[in-house]
């Protein structure tokens, strides 16, 4: 098959849904690397222990797991949507997305690891926040943003309800940190320890302003 024949194949609508699974895996992997690598690098600099080689191994493992899990989830999710569509005579149902996400989430993110825990908590926060009443107009978007051409325009939370959510969230997490620290996710626990406990201790001017003890 020559190049033009290959392009005709990948542009053929009959194969679109199958190739979308492949591209979904690709996009999941790329996005996972983009999100996790800088995060893991910063956390290693701030809280990492051991030599440079040890830290880079940790960064690599976290980035690899995040990227592969996103690739697995996206491809599995799209596959399950396609199977349900075919089983329903080519029609999509509203519940299909929930069922596909439910099965994919269990199979891919159901194993409790540090990376999976962070991803699931991120998703939970977005799901909970989605129930806040919305403001009257959508978020502003630059012409280059995917939202600029989307038929669905995300709308920000109502500012008053958001203020209440922010107050309750911060009040709750500060109480948990003080009274039930064992229930807080490790990455956030490390961050809060750095902010609120390490700032209580110093020995001299250097450890007051430049470096922790």
């Amino acid at each position: 098959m020559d190049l033009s024949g290959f392009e005709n194949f990948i542009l053929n609508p009959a194969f679109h849904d199958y190739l979308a699974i492949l591209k979904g895996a690709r996009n999941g992997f790329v996005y996972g690397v983009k999100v996790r690598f800088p995060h893991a690098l910063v956390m290693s600099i701030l809280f990492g222990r051991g030599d440079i080689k040890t830290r880079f191994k940790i960064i690599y493992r976290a980035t690899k797991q995040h990227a592969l899990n996103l690739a697995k989830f996206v491809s599995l999710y799209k596959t399950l949507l396609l199977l349900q569509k075919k089983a329903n005579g080519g029609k999509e149902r509203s519940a299909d997305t929930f069922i596909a996400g439910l099965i994919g989430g269990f199979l891919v993110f159901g194993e409790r690891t540090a990376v999976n825990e962070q991803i699931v908590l991120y998703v939970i926060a977005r799901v909970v926040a989605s129930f806040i009443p919305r403001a009257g107009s959508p978020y502003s978007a630059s012409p280059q943003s995917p939202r600029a051409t989307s038929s669905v325009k995300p709308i920000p939370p109502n500012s008053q309800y958001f203020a209440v959510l922010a107050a309750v969230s911060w009040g709750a997490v500060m109480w948990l940190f003080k009274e039930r620290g064992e229930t807080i996710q490790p990455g956030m626990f490390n961050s809060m320890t750095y902010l609120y406990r390490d700032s209580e201790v110093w020995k001299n001017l250097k450890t007051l302003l430049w470096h922790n003890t």
Side-chain angles (χ1 to χ4, degrees), residues 12-208:
N12 189 330
F15 304 114
H16 174 271
D17 290 346
Y18 302 99
L19 293 174
I21 297 172
L22 175 63
K23 185 165 185 181
R26 177 264 179 200
N27 283 7
F29 184 86
V30 171
Y31 187 81
V33 172
K34 287 183 176 180
V35 170
R36 177 57 56 172
F37 177 75
H39 175 270
L41 180 62
V42 170
M43 295 302 287
S44 176
I45 293 172
L46 291 177
F47 306 114
R49 300 182 183 279
D51 56 21
I52 295 296
K53 184 178 180 180
T54 301
R55 295 191 187 195
F56 270 104
K57 283 183 178 179
I58 294 172
I59 294 170
Y60 170 76
R61 284 199 300 266
T63 302
K64 178 184 176 182
Q65 184 182 8
H66 196 142
L68 288 178
N69 278 6
L70 274 183
K72 291 175 186 177
F73 179 82
V74 177
S75 56
L76 178 58
Y77 172 78
K78 286 178 172 287
T79 300
L80 291 170
L81 284 182
L82 181 58
L83 291 175
Q84 291 179 94
K85 182 179 178 181
K86 287 185 174 296
N88 198 39
K91 297 180 181 179
E92 297 178 354
R93 302 169 301 176
S94 177
D96 288 352
T97 53
F98 178 78
I99 294 171
L102 187 77
I103 296 173
F106 178 79
L107 293 177
V108 178
F109 295 109
E111 180 185 3
R112 196 197 67 77
T113 66
V115 171
N116 282 353
E117 191 174 345
Q118 290 170 357
I119 294 172
V120 171
L121 289 175
Y122 176 89
V123 173
I124 289 173
R126 269 51 186 179
V127 172
V128 171
S130 73
F131 290 100
I132 304 172
R134 300 289 101 181
S137 57
Y139 290 99
S140 60
S142 66
Q144 294 78 27
S145 170
R147 299 198 309 270
T149 56
S150 174
S151 59
V152 177
K153 306 292 185 184
I155 300 174
N158 177 282
S159 59
Q160 293 178 332
Y161 286 100
F162 181 79
V164 172
L165 178 67
V168 173
S169 297
W170 277 100
V173 78
M174 298 313 298
W175 181 85
L176 287 170
F177 180 63
K178 178 72 183 304
E179 304 295 337
R180 298 189 61 197
E182 70 277 4
T183 65
I184 295 180
Q185 189 270 338
M188 188 169 193
F189 184 86
N190 290 340
S191 298
M192 295 184 75
T193 298
Y194 182 83
L195 291 170
Y196 305 111
R197 289 184 180 163
D198 290 355
S199 59
E200 293 287 330
V201 181
W202 60 89
K203 295 178 180 178
N204 48 41
L205 182 62
K206 178 182 178 181
T207 54
L208 174 65

